[in-house]
């Protein structure tokens, strides 16, 4: 039998294999890591946690994308492996070398650990791409910093204290970085008895605390300073007196013979003429403490001139020298004493090219009981003029005059810079007594800066450069307070005015009477109006006072306003029996500016002035007899003074920029239109009668109720009266230039329609120019702009409506023909 061939049968089966691939999935626990705030040259460590969410081991590599030269950021393990489904913490170290804010970017590059396949080759080429993660790291390096938030005294304004005690400069020094000399002085213990520390002490910044001179026996001058920790670190401060030392000197130690200056210093310390309480303190970030600095007018040794240097030291921070200066006047002697409020008087930044630069004031106090004749040496001003091409950069308007006894006097200077630079000048003021001829010389340092770009006039923002706008530090036994201590009026053009408001609040349990200083120079010259000028406040009651600053006429002097206005407050007297007549100021209980009584009685300010004159006359009589004088104690007087500081500039309208002129012109035009509208119409009163505006304004008080301060209608009429009857409005309207009515359209191609006074040759030139194609295209381009577009362009500053444009046409005479001005609305 024949065998059959074998047949092999092949079958195919489909095997489906499913596999899941995974990649390294690593995340940071936080995307932002804050290292906090530390001291300079310090180091801080924090943990940065990374988590591997995948099923395989993940390899990571850390790098820093952003580094700084003055700070370093390092990791304890920049490269490693994170097991599957686990976490790993990396220690991050931040070490700044100088203070500031630092930011870093930590980049984590992660993937699977490199493996080798069965053949021994590297299988990393087939691995998935590596992933990059980012974590932002922020760190802050700082030093403990303090700042004087507020300064208060019962006898002076906050602005005066800021000038006398150089608080603005003190805050500027406290906000600056710590120098190497300060770090070395602090490392030596800050003790001047150490010879090494004594050599470094001279390189520290110095600030003078200048107390106001007063007669022997006057009350102790006490100044309250509110210190605040403005940093992010706790601040430990200490006022170190010269007799305080951290080193205990052995009794057997032989010291050198003290000199005369050291003996004087020991005497001042033993008599406790200067005091600072408390001398040490610790403030957390944002906390504040009150430090009181006082000077006693109880010693006449060393001619009544006392000085003491103390050091303000902040642990791991600034080290500053503070020179305390005080003077006590002998009432048995007649000596000339003039006290400039500022050691360095700085003028307001002034723009170069002003037509009428405003006068700026330098205030000088005469603390004695005698009027002093003064004379300013103008030789340094002449030298400054010669050094600036014979241009009067600085002028003194009152180089000679009289310093009133016990009052401040304003020396007026006109600063007109020629260049955008800084000018310095030191003047000598000679004060002389009228009776005996004794004189003394005092130095006044002046500094001014000119600018061209308005941005250059802006000071960089700094906390504490100027007094606060509101009172932050209440005084003991304070009767009343103001809602705003500083009012900024800005730049005011001639013939216009700006009003600001402050609120007087009664802080006692009884009624108070208040009265503004009626004899202030701004009030007497009618540049400042205050309403109401006087009144009464019940317990816990308040009243809004409006202060309006008005610029003068063209022929008057322009002024840079930078002064204080005083408001005297005192408890209301108890009701007296009817048979006893007491001369007391009367006030309206409805807070009106005028009393309802028909007889005008003296105000609180007048009584205070009369009392001051009586004291001065008694002082003069006492000094003539040669006996000792004891000034009255301030605590016996129940009156207190509130001070509001005014900032502003009264300028010529040509010295304002375009936007300020537009605002001023808009106000003047609206006032004129309102006045003409009221003059040509009649107004119906609430009583049904019809009267002219003047009659209605006279009957304003009749429309008010007896219980309310002002009704709605009375308040509106009062504003109208102020706007229409103010003398500056009448002066501005009278001084305004009357222009002829301009026709809306003039056809220069028709000879019969020529302007009056225009020559025939000029008309022909215009007519021929208008027929050229280039001029016609120009006319079409001008006419395509509507009034709305012109107003819109003027609002954006693209078109100046106050200037005329000039176009040149190719004619034989090559004369310039003025094109249509947007303000005239005519085509020429």
């Amino acid at each position: 039998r024949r065998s059959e061939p074998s047949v092999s049968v092949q079958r195919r089966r489909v095997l489906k294999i499913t596999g899941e691939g995974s990649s390294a999935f690593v995340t940071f626990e936080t995307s932002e890591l804050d290292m906090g705030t530390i001291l300079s040259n310090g180091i801080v460590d924090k943990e940065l946690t990374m988590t591997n969410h995948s099923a395989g081991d993940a390899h990571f590599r850390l790098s820093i994308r952003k580094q700084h030269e003055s700070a370093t950021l390092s990791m304890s393990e920049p490269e490693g492996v994170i097991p599957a489904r686990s976490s790993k913490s990396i220690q991050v170290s931040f070490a700044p070398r100088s203070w500031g804010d630092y930011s870093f970017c930590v980049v984590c590059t992660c993937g699977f650990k490199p493996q080798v396949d069965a053949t021994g080759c590297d299988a990393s080429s087939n691995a998935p791409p590596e992933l990059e993660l980012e974590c932002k790291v922020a760190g802050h390096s700082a030093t403990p910093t303090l700042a004087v938030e507020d300064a208060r005294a019962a006898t002076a304004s906050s602005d005066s204290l800021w000038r006398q005690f150089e608080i603005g400069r003190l805050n500027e020094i406290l906000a600056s970085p710590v120098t190497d000399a300060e770090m070395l002085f602090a490392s030596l213990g800050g003790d001047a008895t150490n010879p090494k520390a004594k050599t470094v002490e001279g390189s520290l910044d110095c600030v003078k605390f200048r107390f106001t001179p007063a007669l022997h026996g006057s009350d102790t001058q006490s100044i309250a300073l509110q210190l605040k920790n403005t940093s992010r670190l706790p601040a430990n401060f200490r006022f170190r007196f010269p007799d305080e030392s951290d080193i205990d000197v052995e009794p057997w130690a032989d010291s050198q013979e003290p000199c005369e200056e050291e003996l004087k210093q020991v005497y001042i310390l033993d008599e406790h003429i200067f005091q600072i309480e408390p001398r040490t303190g610790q403030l957390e970030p944002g906390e504040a403490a009150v430090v009181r600095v006082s000077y006693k007018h109880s010693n006449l040794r060393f001619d009544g001139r006392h000085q003491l240097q103390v050091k303000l030291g902040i642990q791991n921070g600034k080290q500053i020298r503070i020179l305390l200066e005080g003077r006590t006047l002998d009432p048995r002697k007649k000596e000339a004493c003039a006290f400039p409020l500022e050691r360095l008087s700085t003028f307001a930044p002034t723009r170069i090219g002003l037509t009428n630069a405003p006068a700026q004031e330098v205030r000088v106090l005469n603390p004695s009981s005698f009027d002093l004749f003064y004379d300013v040496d103008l030789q340094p001003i002449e030298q400054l003029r010669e050094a600036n091409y014979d241009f009067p950069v600085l002028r003194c308007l009152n180089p000679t005059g009289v310093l009133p006894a016990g009052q401040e006097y304003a020396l007026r200077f006109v600063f007109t810079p020629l260049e955008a630079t800084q000018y310095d000048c030191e003047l000598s003021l000679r004060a002389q007594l009228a009776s005996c001829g004794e004189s003394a010389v005092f130095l006044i340092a002046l500094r001014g800066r000119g600018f061209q770009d308005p941005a250059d006039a802006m000071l960089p923002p700094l906390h504490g450069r100027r007094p606060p706008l509101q009172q932050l530090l209440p005084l003991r036994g304070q009767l009343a307070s103001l809602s705003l201590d500083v009012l900024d009026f800005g730049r005011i053009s001639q013939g216009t005015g700006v009003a600001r408001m402050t609120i007087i609040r009664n802080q006692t349990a009884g009624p108070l009477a208040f009265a503004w200083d009626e004899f202030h120079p701004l009030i007497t010259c009618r540049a400042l109006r205050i309403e109401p000028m006087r009144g009464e406040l019940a317990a816990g009651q308040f009243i809004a006072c409006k202060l309006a600053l008005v610029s003068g006429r063209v022929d008057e002097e322009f002024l840079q306003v930078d002064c204080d206005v005083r408001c005297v407050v005192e408890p209301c007297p108890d009701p007296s029996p009817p048979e006893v007549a007491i001369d007391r100021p009367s006030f309206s209980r409805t807070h009106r500016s005028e009393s309802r009584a028909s007889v005008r009685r003296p105000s609180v300010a007048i009584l205070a002035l009369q009392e001051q004159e009586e004291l001065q006359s008694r002082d003069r009589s006492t000094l003539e007899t040669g006996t000792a004088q004891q000034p009255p104690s301030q605590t016996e007087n129940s009156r207190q003074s509130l001070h509001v500081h005014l900032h502003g500039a009264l300028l010529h309208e040509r010295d304002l920029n375009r936007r300020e002129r537009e605002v001023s012109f808009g106000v003047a035009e609206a006032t004129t239109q309102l006045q003409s509208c009221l003059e040509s119409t009649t107004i119906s009163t609430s009583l049904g009668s019809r009267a002219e505006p003047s009659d209605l304004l006279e009957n304003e008080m009749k429309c008010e109720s007896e219980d309310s301060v002002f009704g709605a209608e009375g308040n509106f009429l009062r504003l109208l009266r102020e706007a229409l009857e103010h003398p500056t409005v009448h002066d501005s309207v009278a001084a305004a230039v009357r222009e002829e009515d301009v026709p809306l359209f003039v056809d220069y191609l028709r000879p019969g329609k020529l302007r009056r006074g225009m020559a025939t040759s000029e008309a022909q030139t215009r007519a021929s120019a208008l027929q050229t194609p280039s001029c016609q295209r120009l006319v079409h381009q001008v006419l395509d702009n509507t009034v709305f577009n012109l107003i819109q362009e003027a609002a954006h500053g693209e078109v100046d409506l106050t200037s005329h444009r000039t176009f040149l046409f190719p004619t034989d005479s090559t004369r310039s023909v003025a094109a249509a001005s947007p303000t005239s609305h005519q085509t020429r």
Side-chain angles (χ1 to χ4, degrees), residues 214-220 296-300 328-329 331 629-633:
L215 294 175
H216 178 265
S218 300
D219 285 351
T220 301
K296 297 180 180 179
H297 298 277
S298 58
N299 201 293
L300 292 175
T328 301
L329 303 178
Q629 174 191 357
Q630 296 293 336
S633 175

Side-chain angles (χ1 to χ4, degrees), residues 117-180:
D117 57 6
T119 61
C121 298
D122 187 5
S124 59
S125 59
N126 299 325
E130 295 181 341
L131 302 178
E132 287 188 357
L133 304 175
E134 293 184 357
C135 178
K136 296 181 180 179
V137 180
H140 310 277
S141 174
T143 55
T145 306
L146 299 178
V148 180
E149 273 196 321
D150 199 359
R152 296 289 164 177
T155 58
S157 65
S158 179
D159 184 78
S160 299
L161 298 178
W162 231 258
R163 299 172 187 265
Q164 289 183 220
F165 288 78
E166 300 181 359
I167 298 179
R169 183 170 178 268
L170 176 60
N171 287 333
E172 186 176 355
I173 296 174
L174 289 172
S176 61
V178 181
T179 61
D180 296 336

Side-chain angles (χ1 to χ4, degrees), residues 424-487:
D424 293 285
C425 184
E426 189 176 63
L427 302 179
S428 299
L429 185 143
R430 181 173 175 268
Q432 182 179 0
L433 290 171
S435 57
C436 60
E438 181 182 352
S439 62
V441 178
F442 305 90
L443 297 180
I444 300 177
L446 305 177
R447 174 172 294 176
R449 182 167 59 92
F451 70 92
Q452 184 175 6
D453 188 3
D456 298 338
M458 302 300 296
L459 294 175
L462 176 64
H463 179 74
R465 188 186 296 274
R466 290 182 177 178
L469 299 181
Q470 296 179 332
Q471 181 177 358
L472 304 177
L473 177 60
L475 296 176
R476 300 174 184 174
Q478 186 173 351
L479 300 179
S481 63
L482 295 174
S483 62
L484 288 176
D485 290 346
V486 179
L487 299 179

Side-chain angles (χ1 to χ4, degrees), residues 218-537:
S218 300
D219 285 351
T220 301
Q221 291 188 33
S222 180
I223 311 300
L225 305 177
Q226 181 165 311
L227 297 178
K228 183 179 180 180
N229 183 2
T230 58
S231 64
R232 305 173 184 175
L233 299 173
N236 298 324
F237 67 91
R238 177 181 180 180
F239 291 92
R240 188 189 294 270
F241 277 64
D243 57 346
E244 298 178 1
S245 175
D246 296 335
I247 302 176
D248 296 333
V249 182
E250 297 294 338
W252 53 265
D254 187 14
S255 59
Q256 299 179 358
E257 190 70 21
C259 61
E260 182 180 355
E261 191 66 26
E262 292 177 349
L263 292 176
K264 179 180 178 181
Q265 178 178 282
V266 171
Y267 180 83
I268 293 175
L269 291 172
D270 293 340
E271 294 295 327
H272 303 285
I273 297 179
F274 295 100
Q275 285 293 329
I276 297 180
E277 296 178 355
R279 297 187 182 181
T280 60
Q282 180 178 359
L283 298 176
E284 295 296 327
E287 289 185 348
V290 179
V291 177
R292 299 187 180 275
V293 187
S294 59
Y295 171 69
K296 297 180 180 179
H297 298 277
S298 58
N299 201 293
L300 292 175
R301 287 198 60 179
F302 314 109
D303 197 20
R305 303 174 186 269
H306 308 105
Q307 285 187 353
L308 185 65
Q309 181 175 280
V310 299
K311 287 175 284 296
L312 170 60
I314 306 175
Q315 186 178 0
N316 300 319
K318 300 290 293 184
Q319 308 292 323
I320 304 175
R321 294 181 298 155
I322 298 179
L323 184 60
L324 306 177
E325 290 186 352
R327 184 177 180 184
T328 301
L329 303 178
D330 191 351
R332 296 168 298 183
K333 297 181 180 179
K334 294 183 177 181
E335 51 184 340
C337 179
F339 182 72
L341 294 185
E342 289 184 282
R343 188 177 58 165
L344 176 61
S345 299
T346 304
F347 294 133
T350 306
R351 182 167 58 88
I352 61 176
L354 292 183
T355 306
N356 300 91
Q360 306 193 42
E361 298 179 347
V362 176
R363 299 199 167 271
V364 180
L365 173 65
N366 178 14
S368 63
S369 302
F370 307 95
D371 294 340
L372 300 177
F373 294 98
Y374 75 91
D375 183 12
V376 178
D377 184 13
L378 302 179
Q379 185 64 27
I381 296 181
E382 293 297 329
Q383 295 176 359
L384 183 64
R385 177 172 182 166
E386 294 176 359
N388 289 271
Y389 312 101
D390 201 24
F391 182 79
V393 176
L394 186 64
R395 294 184 294 116
C396 183
L397 301 180
N398 49 352
T400 59
V402 178
L403 300 177
Q407 298 181 20
E408 292 183 5
Y409 185 80
L411 298 177
R412 303 166 74 89
F413 294 89
V414 176
F415 174 59
T416 310
L418 183 62
E419 300 176 295
T421 184
Q422 179 176 301
Y423 298 86
D424 293 285
C425 184
E426 189 176 63
L427 302 179
S428 299
L429 185 143
R430 181 173 175 268
Q432 182 179 0
L433 290 171
S435 57
C436 60
E438 181 182 352
S439 62
V441 178
F442 305 90
L443 297 180
I444 300 177
L446 305 177
R447 174 172 294 176
R449 182 167 59 92
F451 70 92
Q452 184 175 6
D453 188 3
D456 298 338
M458 302 300 296
L459 294 175
L462 176 64
H463 179 74
R465 188 186 296 274
R466 290 182 177 178
L469 299 181
Q470 296 179 332
Q471 181 177 358
L472 304 177
L473 177 60
L475 296 176
R476 300 174 184 174
Q478 186 173 351
L479 300 179
S481 63
L482 295 174
S483 62
L484 288 176
D485 290 346
V486 179
L487 299 179
D488 190 359
F489 291 86
R491 297 158 61 87
I492 306 175
S493 174
Q494 62 182 28
T496 61
V498 176
R500 295 291 183 263
M501 183 181 67
T502 185
I503 297 176
I504 305 177
R505 184 180 296 274
N506 184 2
Q507 296 183 348
T508 63
L512 287 181
F514 71 91
W516 293 91
D517 185 9
E518 299 178 353
F519 302 98
H520 193 276
L522 291 179
I523 297 180
T524 55
C525 70
R526 301 182 64 182
L528 177 65
R529 294 180 56 188
I530 303 178
E531 294 184 359
M533 285 292 295
R534 63 190 63 86
E536 281 188 8
L537 292 175

Side-chain angles (χ1 to χ4, degrees), residues 627-679:
T627 58
Q629 174 191 357
Q630 296 293 336
S633 175
Q634 297 174 359
T635 56
E636 298 176 358
N637 193 354
S638 59
R639 294 192 182 99
Q640 293 184 2
S641 297
L642 303 176
H643 299 84
V644 57
H645 190 75
L646 308 182
H647 281 292
L650 308 179
L651 301 176
H652 194 281
E653 58 99 4
R654 289 195 301 265
D655 295 332
L656 300 177
N657 55 41
R658 185 175 60 188
R659 185 174 299 274
E660 291 172 330
R661 285 200 305 267
E662 290 174 357
V663 174
S664 302
F665 293 160
V667 173
E669 183 179 359
T671 306
T672 305
Q673 293 178 358
L674 179 62
Q675 183 178 7
S676 60
C677 179
L678 291 177
E679 289 176 354

Side-chain angles (χ1 to χ4, degrees), residues 26-28 48 50-51 58-65 75 78 80 82 90 105-111 130-135:
V26 180
T27 59
F28 287 111
L48 180 61
M50 297 183 296
T51 303
H59 178 267
F60 70 91
R61 183 174 61 257
L62 297 177
S63 61
I64 301 176
R65 181 171 297 175
M75 275 78 65
I82 304 177
I90 305 298
C105 183
V106 178
V107 180
C108 174
T109 305
C110 56
E130 295 181 341
L131 302 178
E132 287 188 357
L133 304 175
E134 293 184 357
C135 178

